[in-house]
Each structure stands twice: as C-alpha cells, then as structure tokens.
Amino acid sequence: MLPQTVLGFDFGTKSIGIAIGQGVTTTARPLLSIKATDGIPNWDKIGELIKEWQPDLVVVGLPLNMDGTEQEMTQRARKFANRINGRFGIKVATQDERLTTADAKARLFELGGYKALTKEQVDAVSAVLIVESYFENSFS
C-alpha cells in the first residue's frame, strides 16, 4: 500500500527543493526550496515542514551518473536521508533522480517561459518529479 502523504526532497549542496505528494492521487506539488550551506540545511525548517505535513514517508532523490553508478553527491544525498531518519524518526526512501532537473526545467518552461526557470522553482519541481517517480515505481 502506498503511503498517504510523502514529503519529497531534491538534495543539493546550495539548495534543497521540497514537494508534498499524496498517495491517493499519486501526484505531488512543489512547496518551496530552502538554502543549504555545503549540503547542510536549516534542520529547524525541515522539522517544521515534517510537523506541518505529518508525512508517512520522506523520499530523497538519489543523484546517480547516467550509467547508474554512484558519485560523491549520491553519498551526500544518502547521508541527508539518513539524517532525516535519525533526527525525526520518520521512514525514508531514496529514489533515482536522473534527469529530473532537465524534466523540471522543461515543465516550468512550458508553463511560464524563461521567467519561470528560477533556481528555487526548478529545485521544488525536481522534488515533485522525484515523488511522482517514486509513486510510479511503487506500482511497477
């Protein structure tokens, strides 16, 4: 059975995109992006979001190379996922996020042209795509 509420994260060293997803509709929508300093977010802000949305699951995008091999950012995203689990005691899953940034830019461009392509918007929509691909893979 799919989780009811999923909080999705597109981890980055400077910015972390966040989306909220619903298992019933298997859709997600962008929430916001938060700044990070060398991959370290404002943990209080993440705590507030977890308290507000009460997710059943957190999904963190896993940046892999195109051939599926891991890179330095893969390890950093795993560490971020483990920290969410450790700090907030919430179930965390990781999801392959290859091409989500390109897809997010294409989606935003369709909706609003170049002016829609802000870094914050791209990161948040990337988080949407991570959550939606998690839902898709849960069915296959």
Side-chain angles (χ1 to χ4, degrees):
M1 194 172 107
L2 280 175
Q4 293 298 302
T5 306
V6 175
L7 202 56
F9 290 88
D10 177 34
F11 175 79
T13 56
K14 294 185 175 122
S15 176
I16 299 169
I18 305 169
I20 190 74
Q22 291 300 322
V24 175
T25 59
T26 66
T27 58
R29 66 180 176 85
L31 284 179
L32 73 158
S33 292
I34 59 172
K35 298 271 179 249
T37 304
D38 195 30
I40 300 166
N42 176 339
W43 288 109
D44 292 340
K45 183 66 183 167
I46 290 175
E48 287 169 22
L49 289 166
I50 288 172
K51 188 176 177 187
E52 178 182 350
W53 292 98
Q54 308 261 312
D56 304 302
L57 177 71
V58 166
V59 177
V60 176
L62 209 56
L64 299 168
N65 292 318
M66 289 312 290
D67 64 2
T69 58
E70 295 197 358
Q71 53 177 298
E72 183 198 344
M73 280 300 286
T74 313
Q75 297 308 319
R76 294 184 77 165
R78 275 190 214 282
K79 192 171 170 184
F80 173 75
N82 290 337
R83 286 207 173 126
I84 288 177
N85 175 264
R87 274 179 189 257
F88 304 108
I90 194 161
K91 187 176 174 215
V92 178
T94 55
Q95 176 64 42
D96 179 355
E97 64 160 48
R98 281 177 284 183
L99 300 177
T100 53
T101 301
D103 289 350
K105 286 179 180 173
R107 192 181 281 194
L108 282 166
F109 185 78
E110 277 175 33
L111 296 173
Y114 285 110
K115 66 181 179 293
L117 295 176
T118 66
K119 175 82 174 118
E120 291 77 21
Q121 285 284 79
V122 170
D123 290 341
V125 172
S126 292
V128 167
L129 296 170
I130 288 164
V131 172
E132 288 178 349
S133 65
Y134 172 81
F135 286 143
E136 285 167 24
N137 287 337
S138 295
F139 285 121
S140 53

